[in-house]
Amino acid sequence: MSEQPKSLIPYGKQSIDDDDLAAVAAALRADYLTTGPRIAEFEAAFATAVGAKHAMVCSNGTAALHLSAMALGIGPDDIVLAPTLSFLATANGPHYTGARIVFMDCDPETALVRPQDVEDALERAGGSVKAIFITHMNGQICDIEAISKIARRIGAYLVEDACHAVGTEYTDSQGITRQVGDGAYSDLTNFSLHPVKTITMGEGGVVTTNDSTLHKQMCRLRSHGMTRDPDEFEVEELAFAADGLPNPWYYEMPSPGYNYRATDIQCALGMTQLAKLPRFAEKRRSLASEYDALLAKHNGPMRRFGRVEGCDPVLHLYVALIDFAAIGLDRGGFMRQLSALGIGTQVHYLPIHRQTYYAKLNPGLSLPGADTYYSQCLSLPLYADMTSEDVRRVMDALKSLGA
């Protein structure tokens, strides 16, 4: 009798429990499916969780990055530094507003932008830089204090793409343990709550900030640019009745925005998921430690990706760096063979400066750190419902193929 194939271990997936289902069902039975009370409840809870004054929830992480760029007033002819090793949205967000993107290289072991990568990009920028966007790749944090000093020196905004890093903590130079998103060293921090992230809303994005003006601007821009605040109305003859009270139907659009709203259904799921963040974080850290221990004993052409001192990450991705030439397989063939063994993997990411659109805007650009990391990286399964047995099965499969 032939052996039954083992079920697939995907590289990532959501963890949904009965309390999540109950919360969504309750939201569906409520009076508001969107623009209701769950929006503000979730925003307050998220801000508290990361230690920020404000949180703005929106439809997805890309929308969060776009709203960040709009709120900062980034427009045509402005220069923005962005990491080449990140998802497309980190560059696209400010580019949607017309910015010229100057790409930064990264550490070939960690995929994180280093202060020197920022300085190198500044030399190539050829003008005043409006903002610096950095990505905390895989869940580890960049040297945000050093990069923040550079941003202040040149008068630029600093925006964190923390879509991989919800729950990550780090110790700063003052010995203070901080949460990613508390805004201690940046103007805005962006999060994604996509299903493969540590917590999910199905789709969803959050921006945290300690700047009340930026927060208010983003909240307006996520809903067509409209305001219903009587203090902001400009056309008094339309806005107010004869008795001086605002007309109850009235709104104004000082400038256009987008429909980037999140729904009460999404936020209901977000609330129950956020309550489980400590448990999910502990599980991801435990699984990462198990991978680390197994890789530490391994002598093949595979090693763990680099670690950052002083950072206690909640990893979104666990990355192995593999010499595929030493195995005798290209990466695509290696991944297909792993899939046949029931192991799902992924590559994060093709450097953005090599994407067709941006390559045409940046002909001949060489960013060797990113290219080196990209040539070796393979994202292994990591999610809250994994078991220690799953980790061992992943490692056994990798080693069976020569890694």
Side-chain angles (χ1 to χ4, degrees):
M1 187 174 183
S2 62
E3 183 179 346
Q4 293 295 313
K6 292 183 178 180
S7 60
L8 177 71
I9 302 175
Y11 91 86
K13 70 172 187 177
Q14 67 275 13
S15 178
I16 300 296
D17 300 320
D18 287 344
D19 62 334
D20 299 306
L21 299 176
V24 171
L28 287 168
R29 295 187 183 100
D31 292 335
Y32 291 91
L33 295 185
T34 191
T35 65
R38 285 174 172 82
I39 310 300
E41 291 171 7
F42 176 72
E43 289 175 329
F46 196 96
T48 297
V50 303
K53 289 183 180 178
H54 306 286
M56 184 276 315
V57 67
C58 58
S59 53
N60 53 63
T62 303
L65 287 156
H66 188 194
L67 289 166
S68 294
M70 288 191 290
L72 295 174
I74 295 170
D77 301 322
D78 283 333
I79 299 172
V80 170
L81 307 188
T84 191
L85 225 307
S86 186
F87 184 56
L88 299 169
T90 315
N92 286 348
H95 191 57
Y96 290 155
T97 67
R100 178 168 71 87
I101 305 300
V102 177
F103 288 106
M104 298 177 287
D105 203 359
C106 67
D107 186 311
E109 295 292 311
T110 66
L112 296 171
V113 168
R114 301 159 293 190
Q116 187 55 52
D117 298 319
V118 181
E119 298 286 7
D120 291 345
L122 286 174
E123 289 184 12
R124 287 186 277 109
S128 177
V129 170
K130 182 75 172 266
I132 302 171
F133 282 57
I134 57 173
T135 296
H136 300 316
M137 271 290 295
N138 304 325
Q140 294 195 110
I141 193 165
C142 298
D143 187 349
I144 191 167
E145 286 188 78
I147 296 172
S148 177
K149 289 178 182 176
I150 297 172
R152 288 199 299 270
R153 186 190 80 214
I154 65 173
Y157 295 110
L158 180 58
V159 179
E160 299 174 75
D161 179 342
C163 291
H164 290 191
V166 63
T168 289
E169 297 180 348
Y170 67 100
T171 303
D172 70 9
S173 62
Q174 307 301 311
I176 300 171
T177 299
R178 296 196 174 279
Q179 287 269 0
V180 170
D182 70 358
Y185 297 102
S186 68
D187 298 286
L188 298 167
T189 306
N190 293 258
F191 295 92
S192 168
L193 279 72
H194 181 274
V196 296
K197 301 302 196 300
T198 299
I199 61 172
T200 186
M201 291 171 56
E203 284 278 6
V206 181
V207 186
T208 60
T209 184
N210 295 326
D211 187 314
S212 299
T213 300
L214 289 176
H215 173 251
K216 187 174 183 179
Q217 177 82 334
M218 288 186 295
C219 289
R220 182 172 61 79
L221 288 166
R222 74 176 166 187
S223 187
H224 301 281
M226 298 186 306
T227 179
R228 295 181 183 274
D229 184 350
D231 292 336
E232 297 179 349
F233 292 160
E234 298 179 23
V235 188
E236 294 188 5
E237 64 271 23
L238 296 177
F240 298 96
D243 60 5
L245 293 175
N247 289 317
W249 68 86
Y250 189 75
Y251 55 86
E252 285 186 2
M253 188 188 76
S255 60
Y258 291 79
N259 184 357
Y260 281 165
R261 296 187 299 262
T263 68
D264 284 60
I265 304 167
Q266 289 172 286
C267 288
L269 177 58
M271 284 292 286
T272 52
Q273 288 273 299
L274 187 61
K276 289 180 278 196
L277 177 57
R279 173 162 66 86
F280 289 168
E282 181 181 0
K283 184 63 179 293
R284 282 177 175 263
R285 286 178 172 129
S286 175
L287 292 167
S289 294
E290 292 183 40
Y291 272 126
D292 285 348
L294 291 172
L295 278 169
K297 300 174 185 176
H298 183 61
N299 296 316
M302 170 177 62
R303 67 188 192 281
R304 72 175 195 174
F305 68 110
R307 292 298 193 276
V308 174
E309 187 177 351
C311 179
D312 186 13
V314 176
L315 292 179
H316 161 50
L317 301 170
Y318 190 95
V319 178
L321 300 179
I322 301 174
D323 182 350
F324 293 100
I327 298 173
L329 275 173
D330 64 25
R331 183 163 45 189
F334 188 77
M335 292 173 69
R336 283 187 286 272
Q337 291 198 29
L338 280 174
S339 181
L341 294 172
I343 308 301
T345 55
Q346 189 53 273
V347 175
H348 299 91
Y349 301 96
L350 175 67
I352 305 174
H353 78 282
R354 293 196 173 277
Q355 293 287 348
T356 307
Y357 176 80
Y358 286 110
K360 291 176 181 177
L361 297 176
N362 299 274
L365 178 60
S366 175
L367 297 174
D371 286 338
T372 297
Y373 180 88
Y374 168 69
S375 71
Q376 305 172 84
C377 68
L378 189 67
S379 298
L380 307 182
L382 182 67
Y383 51 93
D385 289 342
M386 278 185 70
T387 65
S388 296
E389 181 183 351
D390 291 331
V391 173
R392 289 191 295 271
R393 186 179 147 200
V394 171
M395 290 300 297
D396 288 343
L398 288 161
K399 289 186 283 187
S400 76
L401 296 179

